Each structure stands twice: as structure tokens, then as C-alpha cells.
Amino acid sequence: VLLTTILAFAVVIGQVVAGGVVWTWVRRGSTLSLMEMIGMGIVIGTLLAVLGSQFTIALTIGGIGWVLPIIAAALILAFPPDRRRWLRSVQRGAASQWVSVGVVVGLGSLALLPGFQRTPLRDGYVTGSVYHGDLVFFEAVAQFLSRSGPNDSSLLADFGIRYHWFAYGWIGSLTEVIGAEPFVVMTRAFPLLMVLGASFLAVAWAARLSSRPWTPLLAGLLVVIAGFVGAEQGVILNFDSPSTSYAAVLALGFGLA
């Protein structure tokens, strides 16, 4: 378990840092906050990773394409002479904004705890009787995508997978890369990453639009926490619907872009 956790942390951090470097290069010449770099790093890093892995699967050489964002960032950094100049455009940001991010991430993580309790994991399977019934199907899609890609029709009759496969493709890829047991990435790593992504992006975007110190906090709470109000399983950032979670974070990223 410890080794799996370390590997998951290393792979995700590598993708996020690489995605942040790509975004900083795209925004070169403009000032941006570190929290925007992190939030967009989650969007770009995970998106390039899943697209890269599915591309190499289609080429029948396996899912090694998950390293695409890391390769892209390395190529960007390899070209002098202006790399140090545009990297200096990243600003730490106001302390109040970081407090807002901390509060939103903390509350968002707490909101995931009931979902963790509903999905106890043992011997590579989710146990109990209160987990969401679609969870097993989600995991099957994720594992299938990590091996065969979305165009194979073996899982669904007569056509390839068209079921919001970006989220499941990333989950399946990370599961395969770190050798995790089924459901671990789906029910633990992925929801936490989505909370981080939504929190950083909502706060960073609101900070660009308003100078009031409470506006980023309010925006983050409305995006990350409000989706759970009145929901039994959680709506936006829970594994009740990984594709909805990922779509929310991607929408924030594209909106900010």
C-alpha cells in the first residue's frame, strides 16, 4: 500500500508539474498566479496523459503515452534562451487567496469522507451494500480502456466506448502504471485530485475577476461544496460520477483559458 501511494503521488505530481509548465509557456509574457499554474497543471497534465495513453494503445504499443505531458514540458524547457524569463512570470499570489484554497480543499476533502466510508476495499474489490451500484461498471470501463482503448467493442456490443471515457481512461491508466488494485484510484486518488483541481481553479479564476478578498473563497465554496447539498452520494466531485467530476474541472480550466 505504501509503495502504491508513493508511486501514485510521484506520477500525479509529475503530470501536474508538467501541465503547469505547458500552461506557463502558453501564457508567457503574462503574469499568472502559482495557484492558477497548479490548477491548469491538473487540467492539462491529466488531459495530455489520458490522450497520450490512448494514442499509444491505439498504436498497439501499450499505455506508455501517459508520459506525454512530461515529454512536452521537457521539450519546452530544453529550448533557450527565454525559459527563465517566462518562468519568472509566475507570482505566489496573496495570502488571503491561499487561505481560501486551504479552506476549500479542506472542506472539499471532508465532503468526500462519507463516500470513502461507503466504499470499503478488501482483496481488490469494493465491499458492503451501500456503495453506488454503477461503481463496478465504472471500474470495468476504466480497466478496459487501459488495455484496449475506446474503439474496441468487446465491452459494449457492436460499438466502441463512448461513455465519457476521458475520466475513466485516466483512472485506468494510473491504475495500470502504478499497479494499484481495482477501485483504489477510482474511489480514493481521483476524487481528491478533482477537489484540488476545482479548488485551485475556482479561487484563481475568481481572484482575477475581483479584488475583494472574500470573493475567491465564496467562489471556491460554491463550486466545490454546493454540489453536495441535498445529495446522497455527492454530485460534482465524488466518484458517484467520475465523468461529471472531470467535466467540472475541465470546464473550469477551459473557462479560465
Side-chain angles (χ1 to χ4, degrees), residues 72-235:
L75 290 174
I76 289 172
L77 292 173
F79 287 98
D82 65 340
R83 59 178 180 271
R84 294 183 181 88
R85 185 164 60 249
W86 56 262
L87 282 173
R88 281 196 219 104
S89 67
V90 180
Q91 304 296 319
R92 185 178 63 179
S96 61
Q97 297 171 14
W98 286 99
V99 171
S100 298
V101 166
V103 171
V104 175
V105 169
L107 293 177
S109 299
L110 287 175
L112 295 177
L113 292 180
F116 293 168
Q117 292 176 334
R118 293 189 186 99
T119 55
L121 304 178
R122 185 173 66 247
D123 299 327
Y125 203 79
V126 60
T127 60
S129 59
V130 293
Y131 64 85
H132 193 280
D134 287 345
L135 189 61
V136 177
F137 172 67
F138 295 159
E139 183 66 25
V141 173
Q143 292 198 32
F144 186 85
L145 285 167
S146 71
R147 295 170 174 83
S148 302
N151 293 319
D152 195 302
S153 62
S154 300
L155 187 63
L156 300 176
D158 299 329
F159 55 88
I161 294 173
R162 299 293 182 268
Y163 190 80
H164 314 167
W165 60 262
F166 276 18
Y168 304 108
W170 186 85
I171 291 168
S173 173
L174 183 60
T175 300
E176 187 86 2
V177 168
I178 66 176
E181 291 189 336
F183 301 99
V184 172
V185 175
M186 176 84 69
T187 65
R188 301 299 189 263
F190 182 77
L192 286 170
L193 184 62
M194 294 300 100
V195 165
L196 287 170
S199 300
F200 276 97
L201 287 168
V203 171
W205 194 358
R208 280 187 171 274
L209 300 176
S210 174
S211 60
R212 297 177 185 272
W214 51 266
T215 303
L217 175 61
L218 179 60
L221 291 174
L222 287 172
V223 169
V224 176
I225 305 300
F228 288 89
V229 176
E232 179 186 355
Q233 299 280 346
V235 176

Side-chain angles (χ1 to χ4, degrees), residues 15 44-71 145-146 149-150 165-166 169-170 173 177 246:
Q15 292 178 4
I44 295 173
T46 57
L47 189 58
L48 289 179
V50 68
L51 292 175
S53 66
Q54 294 302 309
F55 179 71
T56 54
I57 288 171
L59 294 177
T60 67
I61 57 176
I64 60 173
W66 65 271
V67 300
L68 178 60
I70 298 173
I71 293 173
L145 285 167
S146 71
W165 60 262
F166 276 18
W170 186 85
S173 173
V177 168
Y246 198 38

